[in-house]
Amino acid sequence: MNGEHRYHVTVDWTGNTGTGTSSYKAYSRDHLIQAEGKPDVPGSSDPAFRGDPARWNPEDMLVASLAACHKLWYLHFCSVEGVTVAAYRDEAEGVMVEDRERGGAFSRVTLRPVVTIAAGDDAALAKALHDRAHHFCFIANSVNFPVTCEPRIVRAD
């Protein structure tokens, strides 16, 4: 694997309610995240920062990116190693701490995937492949805070 990959997105602020940013409460934090050929993603800020709770915020998306990247690598390694995954669900959690000097930063993200594998497959191998997936995850390799994984393996009936 080698090469450089580029990702192009547009973030279009849609929150001008008529007076722009004339005051902190005068504007909406709403925006659309767009990429060619893909559906728009409605975004906002976290509700703690006057955002719309029905829209994705950057913090949600960072945690989701970590969980999705890990899952994609994990499924890849399971397919290569002969572990048949029937279901995968991750209830990931990120913790961000506000900081007067920098505004805030994530202190950690914990992935909690529950993976259902075929009845006769090797559960120990299925669990171990999470370490390999974590090692290769592009997003986890790009952040400056700990990302831990607490997997649970379940066998299909």
Side-chain angles (χ1 to χ4, degrees), residues 113-126:
V114 176
V115 182
T116 304
I117 62 171
D121 286 356
D122 184 343
L125 174 60

Side-chain angles (χ1 to χ4, degrees), residues 11-15 27-33 41-61:
V11 177
D12 188 14
W13 176 52
T14 58
Y27 64 97
S28 164
R29 277 54 177 178
D30 291 357
H31 55 271
L32 288 176
I33 301 165
V41 175
S44 191
S45 64
D46 183 295
F49 307 108
R50 304 189 53 78
D52 182 341
R55 290 173 167 249
W56 285 87
N57 63 58
E59 296 81 9
D60 291 332
M61 294 181 77

Side-chain angles (χ1 to χ4, degrees), residues 15-16 20 23 38 64 89 96 99 108 133 142 147:
N16 184 345
S23 76
K38 299 176 185 179
R89 179 182 177 96
M96 186 194 71
D99 168 325
R108 68 184 177 278
S142 301
V147 178

Side-chain angles (χ1 to χ4, degrees), residues 2-136:
N2 60 29
E4 182 176 89
H5 305 271
R6 294 178 185 266
Y7 303 90
H8 300 276
V9 299
T10 300
V11 177
D12 188 14
W13 176 52
T14 58
N16 184 345
T17 59
T19 60
T21 59
S22 60
S23 76
Y24 184 73
K25 294 182 179 182
Y27 64 97
S28 164
R29 277 54 177 178
D30 291 357
H31 55 271
L32 288 176
I33 301 165
Q34 303 166 313
E36 188 174 331
K38 299 176 185 179
D40 291 353
V41 175
S44 191
S45 64
D46 183 295
F49 307 108
R50 304 189 53 78
D52 182 341
R55 290 173 167 249
W56 285 87
N57 63 58
E59 296 81 9
D60 291 332
M61 294 181 77
L62 178 60
V63 175
S65 293
L66 284 159
C69 186
H70 180 92
K71 180 222 14 131
L72 292 168
W73 275 108
Y74 181 76
L75 296 176
H76 165 74
F77 288 127
C78 284
S79 72
V80 169
E81 295 292 336
V83 175
T84 301
V85 175
Y88 185 109
R89 179 182 177 96
D90 190 344
E91 295 192 12
E93 177 186 37
V95 176
M96 186 194 71
V97 179
E98 289 185 62
D99 168 325
R100 287 189 191 274
E101 187 175 313
R102 298 186 309 155
F106 272 81
S107 61
R108 68 184 177 278
V109 167
T110 304
L111 308 178
R112 294 187 180 94
V114 176
V115 182
T116 304
I117 62 171
D121 286 356
D122 184 343
L125 174 60
K127 188 169 185 177
L129 290 175
H130 280 285
D131 290 336
R132 193 180 313 167
H134 181 69
H135 175 78
F136 281 92

